[in-house]
């Protein structure tokens, strides 16, 4: 365990899940999970924001603060809290327990920290299995119409012409100039003012539905289907 000071000045107890070299190549960054908080708050922090290792128990004030945090849980967090604390080990199917453990290990570190879609920038909550060449990007850029994802928003001129052409074709700006979509590839089934809902057939729009699943996984902890989108 370690202690970490949040931007608002409060000190939180956290568990170090993983570490990596910082972009400067000379220091470390640590991936922290905050005790008594949902995994969506996990984040990478520089070493200077991580306190010394905690070797003593929490004080009574810290204990009361922990109880208060439990009382302030959302309904989803409360349900998960009750399930964890009321389920006996003998009641869990071994196969289910093994799969859950495997899922937790594979998704313990959030791979994408932020996405940009249209005029909106959003912090992500959970791990999503984007292809490896995209999963190592801290920020992804998505087309707001077809949901295609990119590592860069704008191209940068490089010295080699071949590298420049390859790089430019993989940027969001280049894609937006060619994308003809202006709504999801399905039937509009509901409209209220400027809000519409579309019904999309996964068999006809497979790539779109796969991209939608990957996007939704960034905000859903227990979504298991990513590429099987056939109805």
């Amino acid at each position: 365990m370690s202690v970490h000071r949040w931007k608002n000045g409060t000190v939180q107890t956290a568990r170090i899940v993983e570490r990596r070299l910082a972009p400067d190549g000379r220091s470390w960054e640590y991936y922290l999970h905050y005790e008594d908080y949902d995994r969506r708050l996990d984040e990478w922090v520089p070493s200077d924001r991580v306190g010394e290792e905690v070797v003593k128990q929490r004080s009574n004030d810290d204990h009361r603060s922990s109880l208060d945090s439990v009382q302030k849980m959302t309904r989803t967090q409360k349900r998960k809290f009750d399930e964890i604390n009321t389920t006996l080990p003998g009641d869990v199917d071994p196969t289910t327990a093994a799969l859950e453990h495997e899922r937790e290990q594979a998704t313990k570190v959030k791979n994408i920290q932020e996405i940009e879609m249209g005029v909106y920038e959003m912090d992500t909550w959970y791990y999503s299995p984007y292809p490896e060449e995209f999963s190592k990007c801290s920020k992804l850029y998505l087309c707001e119409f077809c949901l295609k994802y990119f590592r860069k928003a704008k191209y940068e001129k490089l010295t080699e012409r071949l590298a420049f052409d390859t790089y430019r074709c993989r940027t969001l700006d280049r894609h937006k100039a060619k994308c003809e979509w202006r709504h999801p590839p399905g039937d509009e089934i509901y409209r209220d003012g400027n809000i519409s809902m579309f019904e999309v057939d996964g068999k006809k729009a497979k790539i779109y539905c796969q991209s939608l699943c990957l996007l939704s996984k960034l905000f859903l902890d227990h979504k298991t289907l990513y590429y099987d989108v056939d109805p």
Side-chain angles (χ1 to χ4, degrees):
M1 293 294 179
S2 67
V3 292
H4 169 64
R5 185 175 299 278
W6 277 356
K7 294 180 180 180
N8 61 5
T10 60
V11 176
Q12 301 293 338
T13 304
R15 174 168 53 89
I16 297 176
V17 178
E18 196 167 311
R19 72 171 185 171
R20 68 183 182 188
L21 279 175
D24 59 16
R26 297 190 300 270
S27 59
W28 290 97
E29 293 180 335
Y30 295 89
Y31 192 78
L32 301 183
H33 170 68
Y34 301 104
E35 295 297 303
D36 302 323
Y37 287 89
D38 188 82
R39 288 203 307 165
R40 67 171 177 259
L41 296 179
D42 296 0
E43 62 177 343
W44 287 100
V45 299
S47 57
D48 58 359
R49 289 177 57 188
V50 180
E52 297 180 355
E53 185 176 354
V54 177
V55 294
K56 61 182 180 179
Q57 295 182 348
R58 296 179 181 177
S59 64
N60 292 333
D61 291 340
D62 291 337
H63 182 64
R64 285 196 296 269
S65 176
S66 176
L67 292 177
D68 291 340
S69 68
V70 172
Q71 294 174 356
K72 295 178 181 178
M73 286 181 178
T74 64
R75 286 180 294 179
T76 301
Q77 290 175 313
K78 182 64 167 60
R79 174 176 55 78
K80 291 183 179 180
F81 180 83
D82 291 340
E83 290 176 354
I84 293 172
N85 289 276
T86 58
T87 303
L88 298 176
D91 296 335
V92 179
D93 178 76
T95 302
T96 302
L99 290 174
E100 178 64 17
H101 178 72
E102 182 180 355
R103 183 198 67 83
E104 289 182 356
Q105 291 300 311
T107 64
K108 64 181 180 180
V109 177
K110 180 168 54 178
N111 52 345
I112 298 169
Q113 310 300 314
E114 185 180 4
I115 63 172
E116 180 177 315
M117 187 164 62
V119 297
Y120 300 100
E121 293 183 357
M122 294 164 276
D123 293 331
T124 60
W125 287 359
Y126 302 109
Y127 170 92
S128 182
Y130 277 92
E132 184 177 358
E133 63 268 27
F134 297 93
S135 63
K136 295 181 181 179
C137 302
S138 60
K139 183 176 183 178
L140 276 187
Y141 300 86
L142 280 76
C143 175
E144 59 187 311
F145 300 113
C146 70
L147 303 184
K148 188 173 177 60
Y149 40 89
F150 301 87
R151 290 175 291 182
K152 297 290 183 179
K154 299 180 179 180
Y155 66 84
E156 299 174 357
K157 188 173 182 179
L158 304 180
T159 54
E160 296 183 9
R161 182 64 187 179
L162 179 59
F164 167 69
D165 289 340
T166 304
Y167 187 88
R168 185 173 70 171
C169 291
R170 296 179 180 176
T171 61
L172 178 60
D173 279 2
R174 180 73 172 177
H175 168 79
K176 288 168 64 175
K178 297 181 177 181
C179 184
E180 299 179 351
W181 292 25
R182 290 299 177 265
H183 59 75
D187 300 324
E188 184 180 19
I189 59 175
Y190 175 81
R191 178 181 294 183
D192 183 9
N194 61 349
I195 299 176
S196 296
M197 294 183 65
F198 289 81
E199 183 179 38
V200 181
D201 188 340
K203 191 173 183 178
K204 296 180 180 179
K206 188 171 185 178
I207 300 300
Y208 177 87
C209 290
Q210 289 176 351
S211 298
L212 179 61
C213 289
L214 291 172
L215 172 61
S216 64
K217 181 61 184 70
L218 292 171
F219 304 96
L220 296 173
D221 193 15
H222 283 77
K223 181 174 177 57
T224 56
L225 292 178
Y226 315 124
Y227 298 105
D228 183 9
V229 295
D230 290 341

